[in-house]
Amino acid sequence: MKILPFKIPKTSQESFRLQEDREIHFYDNLHQHPEIQLTLILNSEGKVIVGDFIGAFKPGDIFLIGPNLPHVFRNDQKYYDNPQEGQAHSLTVFFEWKSFGDTFLSMPELSHLSDFSKQSERGLFIQEPIKSRIAQLMKCMFRKTGMDRLIVLLKLLNILSAHKNMEPLASSGVYNEFDELDGRKLADIYRFTMNEFHRKISLDEVADLAHMTTNSFCRYFKKRTRKSYVDFLTEIRIGHARKLLQQNDLSISQISIEVGFNNLSNFNRKFRSVCSITPTEFKKLHENKKDILVHA
């Protein structure tokens, strides 16, 4: 068994699946499935985990998740605490290469798709200059049926495969060497961390949650996620700090406390190690981008 394996439902009349989700918050258990997943976020914000990648998502973002990559979209806490804040809304396409036929990717005219299929196994974050076009095609696909829908999917894949500058999300390697117990345990740890990152968290506390000794937990977490729990917690905190720095209503010292750092110099050092720039530089960079947009 794998991490909370999902079976994507398809009828006998379709070779790939379209799914629109409108929920108070997205499904928040770590899971995987053999289908490739292309998701457009239409509304809500939060954190996304794909393999060993940790990042943020917001409206307009598009993620491609490779087959059997453990992943979860976890909305910010406000979507749990105050449901009327707004719905989590996304469009998703699920497909498998084998649905197109055994020889599809070996056709000489589709050599670029064959290369893309390998690149996408680790997941991709879709950015401009193609993001707007991909979003448009995904929305179009939901208005089509039958062969017209398939034609739009092929157009979409052609655009994705022709774009050469996309960085994989997860590091290379096998991510399906988990049993169901591992999946549930990691999901509990992820959920706890995303809820509690704003305060001091000890390794003993998380180890107790996993029903393990501290040393055993540290080895367990590192083996299955390829990073230490401390590094994982830091990335969650810095990811939230990046979001707060773009809102311009809190000072950097306030933000450091808000995301769980009780020492400003430590926050600055950790932020620079993750983002390669300081919080002050990040804030100024974002403000400059906003000024350009205002005066454009």
Side-chain angles (χ1 to χ4, degrees):
M1 291 187 292
K2 301 183 176 75
I3 294 178
L4 297 187
F6 255 36
K7 184 172 178 59
I8 305 302
K10 293 197 296 283
T11 70
S12 60
Q13 304 300 313
E14 58 186 4
S15 57
F16 59 97
R17 178 74 172 175
L18 302 188
Q19 179 173 301
E20 181 174 13
D21 290 302
R22 282 182 180 269
E23 306 290 345
I24 293 173
H25 57 77
F26 292 133
Y27 180 77
D28 58 2
N29 281 321
L30 187 70
H31 63 284
Q32 65 183 172
H33 41 72
E35 293 84 0
I36 298 165
Q37 174 177 335
L38 184 66
T39 294
L40 165 62
I41 305 295
L42 294 175
N43 193 38
S44 79
E45 301 174 340
K47 296 177 180 64
V48 57
I49 296 174
V50 180
D52 60 353
F53 168 82
I54 303 170
F57 68 84
K58 64 184 184 304
D61 284 347
I62 304 176
F63 295 88
L64 186 144
I65 298 167
N68 290 317
L69 261 182
H71 61 281
V72 62
F73 289 88
R74 215 293 181 173
N75 282 112
D76 287 342
Q77 191 60 38
K78 65 181 181 181
Y79 294 93
Y80 295 81
D81 296 341
N82 195 12
Q84 61 266 32
E85 282 274 339
Q87 287 183 317
H89 188 193
S90 66
L91 301 179
T92 298
V93 183
F94 298 98
F95 69 94
E96 295 180 85
W97 295 113
K98 67 181 183 181
S99 298
F100 299 108
D102 294 337
T103 62
F104 179 73
L105 291 177
S106 62
M107 295 172 64
E109 295 86 354
L110 301 179
S111 59
H112 60 302
L113 270 184
S114 180
D115 294 338
F116 174 72
S117 71
K118 295 180 176 62
Q119 182 187 21
S120 64
E121 289 177 356
R122 291 160 57 189
L124 298 166
F125 179 53
I126 312 303
Q127 302 184 67
E128 297 297 3
I130 63 170
K131 184 176 78 168
S132 299
R133 180 61 175 148
I134 296 301
Q136 180 185 28
L137 287 171
M138 289 183 71
K139 293 174 184 177
C140 176
M141 207 182 309
F142 278 75
R143 300 191 295 268
K144 302 290 186 181
T145 59
M147 187 170 181
D148 289 335
R149 178 177 284 182
L150 175 60
I151 289 171
V152 176
L153 176 60
L154 292 174
K155 285 182 179 179
L156 185 153
L157 292 174
N158 187 47
I159 293 171
L160 285 173
S161 62
H163 191 62
K164 303 299 183 184
N165 298 319
M166 290 186 287
E167 289 293 325
L169 296 176
S171 60
S172 59
V174 178
Y175 286 89
N176 57 3
E177 293 179 346
F178 300 84
D179 59 22
E180 190 168 347
L181 178 60
D182 282 327
R184 294 187 184 280
K185 188 173 291 187
L186 286 172
D188 287 344
I189 293 166
Y190 287 177
R191 191 179 299 109
F192 167 82
T193 306
M194 291 177 185
N195 287 341
E196 305 295 333
F197 67 86
H198 58 277
R199 65 172 178 82
K200 183 178 180 180
I201 297 175
S202 70
L203 286 174
D204 289 344
E205 182 179 7
V206 192
D208 285 343
L209 177 69
H211 305 292
M212 304 172 77
T213 66
T214 302
N215 288 339
S216 295
F217 167 74
C218 290
R219 290 193 298 269
Y220 171 87
F221 193 86
K222 182 70 175 285
K223 181 178 180 180
R224 283 157 179 79
T225 67
R226 307 181 189 185
K227 62 183 70 182
S228 70
Y229 179 77
V230 172
D231 287 343
F232 171 74
L233 175 60
T234 297
E235 289 181 27
I236 293 292
R237 286 172 167 166
I238 297 302
H240 193 66
R242 286 166 58 98
K243 185 181 296 185
L244 294 178
L245 284 165
Q246 295 176 50
Q247 295 175 0
N248 294 322
D249 55 355
L250 291 174
S251 69
I252 291 175
S253 61
Q254 288 174 311
I255 290 172
S256 71
I257 296 171
E258 185 78 13
V259 300
F261 289 93
N262 56 12
N263 182 293
L264 181 58
S265 62
N266 186 38
F267 170 64
N268 286 328
R269 184 171 63 255
K270 294 293 186 181
F271 192 98
R272 188 182 185 92
S273 70
V274 173
C275 302
S276 300
I277 58 176
T278 66
T280 300
E281 291 168 339
F282 180 89
K283 189 177 181 71
K284 287 181 179 177
L285 187 64
H286 180 73
E287 289 171 348
N288 290 340
K289 286 181 180 178
K290 284 185 21 180
D291 288 341
I292 291 171
L293 289 174
V294 168
H295 295 100

